[in-house]
Amino acid sequence: MKFSENWLRTWVDPDMSSEALAHALTMAGIEVESLESVATAFNKVVVAEVLEVTKHPNADRLNVCRVNVGETQPLSIVCGAANVSAGVKVPCALIGANLPGDFAIKQAKVRGVESFGMLCSKKELGLAEASEGLFLLPIDAPPGKPLREFLELDDKLFTLKLTPNRSDCSSIAGIAREVAALTGNTLIPLQIPVQHPSLNEQLPVTVIDTSGCPLYCGRLVRGVNAAAATPEWMLRRLERSGLRGINAVVDITNYVMLEMGQPMHAFDVAKLSGGITVRKARKGESLCLLNEQSVDLDEEVMVIADDAHILALAGIMGGLDSGVGSNTRDVFLESAFFHPDAIAGKARRFGLSTDSSFRFERGVDFAATRLALERATQLLLQICGGSAGVIIEARGDLPKREAIKLRGSRVARVLGITLEAKQIAMLFARLRLEVDSKGGDFLVTPPSFRFDLSIEEDLIEEIARLHGYDNIPAATPHASLTMLPDSELQRPLARIHQTLVARDYQEIISYSFVEEQIERELCGNTEPVRLQNPIASNLAVMRSSLITGLIEALRYNLNRKQSRVRLYEIGACFARLNGRYAHSQRLSGIAYGESQPEQWGVASKPVDFYDVKADVEALYAPYRLNFVTASHPALHPGRSARIERAGNMIGWIGELHPQWQQRYDMPQSGVWFEVEYEDLSRVSVPHTGEIAKFLPARRDLAFLVDDAVAVQTLIEAMKKVPAPYVQEIQVFDVYRGKGLEPGKKSLAFRVLLQDTQKTLTDSEIESSISMLVGVMNEHGAQLRM
């Protein structure tokens, strides 16, 4: 929001400098992003009237001008501008003037003719980057009046960085209300007389979508002169607010929007067919907007239409075919309240950002909708003439302003200061809030222009703003320090980070929002959690896995010539379970490139399933995991597994599917894993055991089994055998090939046996080994001798 300080001070004029006013607004939550002067510094420049122009006797391209600068005698000034002529009003820099660029004006002789000043262009005054000829002023400009005063060049421009909740400050009226409340100065309200109709005519209006447009006001004005010149004071205020002049009718609607915060639109009646209808668009309809952009519409977009075609995108932008031009004679003025929910996100959908949508999607004052129409009519009749018809109004259910209960004790508790009930009531009165006080409590009804007030904390914030944050003393907190419990049943997060970093992983943080198609393909999630108002079309659903962000980060690094990448992330994932939303924390990682950094001591080898499996086992150490062959949409069918702990599935691991490697243009496949963070963080209390003083006995067993038999199945079977003295069973060799039948493999197991009280005898060892061989035979394994 950009505005002129001079314009604001016609509404409220506090006795403070521009800088002090900017500080007061910023400290009240209305951040002043910038404060700048309208014009660069210069002095002794006045309005001048050229009385006579004669050719210079010694130069073909110069003229000698007699100029009235409001003094007793005209001045003689030499000028070379092509557009100088008798009767024009132009700026004149007098002798002693200092112009931008440290350019001092002195009496000079130009080609033998004395010159007592300089007639100026916009560029010479620092008002434009470039200009052709003199700066021609309005014909009614009074000669001799200082130019800075005539053009209000000592004005300052405020640029506000409004938060989305303060839509009430997107107008001069709203900012003036805020300044009056902050400073206690009197607000000078705008006097808007009711414009009595001189035509007994109305344009029929039908509102079908009453929920999106609960209030629509319109008025027919005939016989206007759209080619009339927009007054200089209005153009000046528009330009200093960042809007350019178009034509008188459009300038008036823009002016009322800036002045009162009510976006308006004017239709050329000659281009309409029948009455006005506010409805949802139909699929297949399209509209060419005022910016000449063509948009395709559907049932989610609200439009303004007549009996034949669509006229405008409601609350966003009008259509080119019904716009007002210099030949327009009859106009229909529109002033409506569109519900924020009906406008939010629609402009971004079409790549638009308009002043109207900015205001409507945040909420405008529906109590001022008709008043804004009266103001626009007043200005239109004054500037363009014409005859106004009767206002037609279509009204539905407007938003209700429910009373909010505020407890005085709650104010003291939140702000840390005690304010009397009279002080609080006075602050609310300055904000124009309806207050009903009972004891120390209040029932506060927000006005129609404050959409941001809905709960008790909102009112407490208003009290703090007006009382002044600087007036709230800083109290030193007093609290007792207690040792927080550190459960042994929880694996510290810091230890998890340390383990991964020690294994060359780097942490990333990615968006929780992902593209719906990728979510379906990578995660197999057919019912993702959708966002009602996504920030972008490719971030429309919530992730059910961290894999998407990891792959995007991996691609980002590969595109920047990083050949070895190891990334991990701890974050929330979201799903829909039994019709309800659920989320869980997960740890996920991806490894790509060489298994070890390039060095002379280790041969180069691409990272594989077993490298990352070792990383996952290191995270869970000393607990053992099972890796069960299973398929996942994102993983290679033959190189993926389900991770289980104590019989419960806790995650996935495997190489990326070749189709994703090809789609993302990866020279080789990466290996990905993901586990439930809750399971990873859960540990049991360590317990002590006696350390054996006697040497262990080792027996190596080799079995011939079918190739389809999983090693883990055999190890688990042997561990279930109540064989005494067996401390450890590990596979140390797998052999397929020469000497074995097709479809067979040889597995070699290392078995360690030990007793804490004695050295084992051969018979005790053989007894335990026999039990292990017996269970292996039951699983179809044949002992090799």
Side-chain angles (χ1 to χ4, degrees), residues 476-745:
T476 304
H478 298 279
S480 58
L481 297 178
T482 57
M483 184 71 74
L484 297 176
D486 187 9
S487 174
E488 289 186 272
L489 300 177
Q490 202 77 13
R491 192 189 308 267
L493 175 61
R495 187 182 302 166
I496 296 172
H497 285 297
Q498 289 168 1
T499 302
L500 288 166
V501 170
R503 303 181 80 87
D504 288 348
Y505 285 86
Q506 298 185 47
E507 186 181 14
I508 70 162
I509 299 175
S510 63
Y511 272 123
S512 296
F513 318 132
V514 297
E515 186 175 351
E516 182 171 357
Q517 181 180 355
I518 294 179
E519 173 71 13
R520 290 177 181 271
E521 294 176 347
L522 277 178
C523 306
N525 186 6
T526 57
E527 292 188 5
V529 178
R530 292 182 177 82
L531 297 170
Q532 288 187 348
N533 187 22
I535 59 176
S537 59
N538 63 332
L539 300 173
V541 300
M542 304 294 286
R543 65 188 178 191
S544 64
S545 170
L546 303 176
I547 187 172
T548 306
L550 287 168
I551 290 179
E552 288 297 326
L554 173 60
R555 292 178 60 200
Y556 183 89
N557 281 272
L558 293 180
N559 290 337
R560 284 152 184 81
K561 306 303 180 183
Q562 299 298 312
S563 59
R564 184 175 184 270
V565 181
R566 289 184 174 225
L567 306 171
Y568 78 96
E569 180 175 10
I570 299 175
C573 295
F574 307 84
R576 194 193 306 269
L577 299 176
N578 301 322
R580 303 182 66 180
Y581 298 117
H583 78 279
S584 61
Q585 290 288 113
R586 293 184 186 174
L587 166 64
S588 186
I590 194 167
Y592 180 92
E594 301 299 317
S595 60
Q596 297 289 335
E598 186 177 1
Q599 55 172 298
W600 59 269
V602 178
S604 176
K605 180 182 79 70
V607 68
D608 59 21
F609 177 95
Y610 296 100
D611 293 319
V612 178
K613 176 175 176 287
D615 295 336
V616 176
E617 289 174 331
L619 281 170
Y620 276 85
Y623 303 100
R624 296 192 178 278
L625 303 175
N626 291 338
F627 296 84
V628 182
T629 301
S631 296
H632 187 282
L635 302 179
H636 192 295
R639 300 175 186 175
S640 61
R642 187 174 63 245
I643 306 175
E644 294 183 353
R645 178 184 177 188
N648 297 319
M649 176 183 167
I650 60 169
W652 289 92
I653 183 172
E655 289 188 12
L656 292 180
H657 198 288
Q659 67 172 331
W660 305 121
Q661 178 185 345
Q662 183 178 6
R663 176 181 294 187
Y664 295 124
D665 196 23
M666 299 181 188
Q668 68 185 63
S669 181
V671 183
W672 166 76
F673 74 90
E674 184 167 282
V675 295
E676 294 289 345
Y677 178 78
E678 182 180 356
D679 183 85
L680 174 61
S681 63
R682 188 173 62 248
V683 296
S684 58
V685 177
H687 63 277
T688 61
E690 187 177 359
I691 299 175
K693 299 178 182 179
F694 302 93
L695 295 176
R698 170 173 172 164
R699 293 292 184 269
D700 293 342
L701 303 176
F703 294 94
L704 189 66
V705 299
D706 291 336
D707 203 21
V709 177
V711 174
Q712 188 67 38
T713 303
L714 299 178
I715 293 177
E716 290 179 356
M718 286 191 285
K719 287 184 176 180
K720 290 180 181 179
V721 175
Y725 316 124
V726 175
Q727 300 296 324
E728 180 181 318
I729 302 174
Q730 290 290 341
V731 62
F732 68 88
D733 185 53
V734 179
Y735 175 74
R736 299 178 182 88
K738 187 176 180 181
L740 297 182
E741 299 177 16
K744 296 289 185 178
K745 63 183 175 182

Side-chain angles (χ1 to χ4, degrees), residues 71-228:
E71 298 178 354
T72 54
Q73 295 293 327
L75 300 180
S76 176
I77 297 177
V78 177
C79 176
N83 62 339
V84 66
S85 62
V88 299
K89 303 285 183 67
V90 294
C92 178
L94 304 177
I95 294 174
N98 290 295
L99 302 185
D102 293 330
F103 183 42
I105 303 300
K106 302 177 181 178
Q107 180 178 344
K109 184 176 289 188
V110 182
R111 294 287 184 94
V113 177
E114 293 286 344
S115 181
F116 298 89
M118 185 177 80
L119 304 184
C120 302
S121 67
K122 282 188 176 182
K123 181 180 179 181
E124 289 162 337
L125 296 174
L127 302 178
E129 293 293 331
S131 59
E132 295 183 1
L134 299 177
F135 179 13
L136 300 181
L137 301 175
I139 197 65
D140 59 349
K145 187 166 188 176
L147 185 71
R148 299 193 73 91
E149 181 182 342
F150 177 69
L151 296 180
E152 299 181 3
L153 296 181
D154 291 321
D155 192 7
K156 296 287 183 68
L157 298 182
F158 282 66
T159 302
L160 305 183
K161 190 176 182 180
L162 293 177
T163 52
N165 62 316
R166 292 309 305 269
S167 60
D168 58 298
C169 289
S170 58
S171 66
I172 290 294
I175 299 166
R177 276 195 306 261
E178 187 73 12
V179 172
L182 292 173
T183 62
N185 284 80
T186 302
L187 179 68
I188 306 171
L190 185 67
Q191 300 298 325
I192 305 176
V194 175
Q195 303 300 309
H196 298 289
S198 55
L199 293 174
N200 190 22
E201 286 189 70
Q202 287 181 332
L203 203 62
V205 172
T206 304
V207 179
I208 298 176
D209 185 8
T210 55
S211 61
C213 179
L215 179 60
Y216 189 97
C217 299
R219 168 175 262 165
L220 191 65
V221 182
R222 293 194 180 277
V224 301
N225 177 18

Side-chain angles (χ1 to χ4, degrees), residues 10-32:
T10 63
W11 287 72
V12 59
D13 191 10
D15 185 16
M16 57 174 59
S17 66
S18 304
E19 291 73 18
L21 178 58
H23 178 74
L25 286 170
T26 299
M27 292 305 298
I30 312 298
E31 182 184 354
V32 178

Side-chain angles (χ1 to χ4, degrees), residues 357-390:
S357 64
F358 176 87
R359 288 164 172 79
F360 277 125
E361 65 186 7
R362 289 163 173 78
V364 301
D365 183 7
F366 52 83
T369 301
R370 187 181 182 111
L371 194 62
L373 183 58
E374 294 282 12
R375 174 60 168 163
T377 306
Q378 175 192 16
L379 293 172
L380 187 65
L381 296 181
Q382 288 176 358
I383 298 170
C384 302
S387 302
V390 180

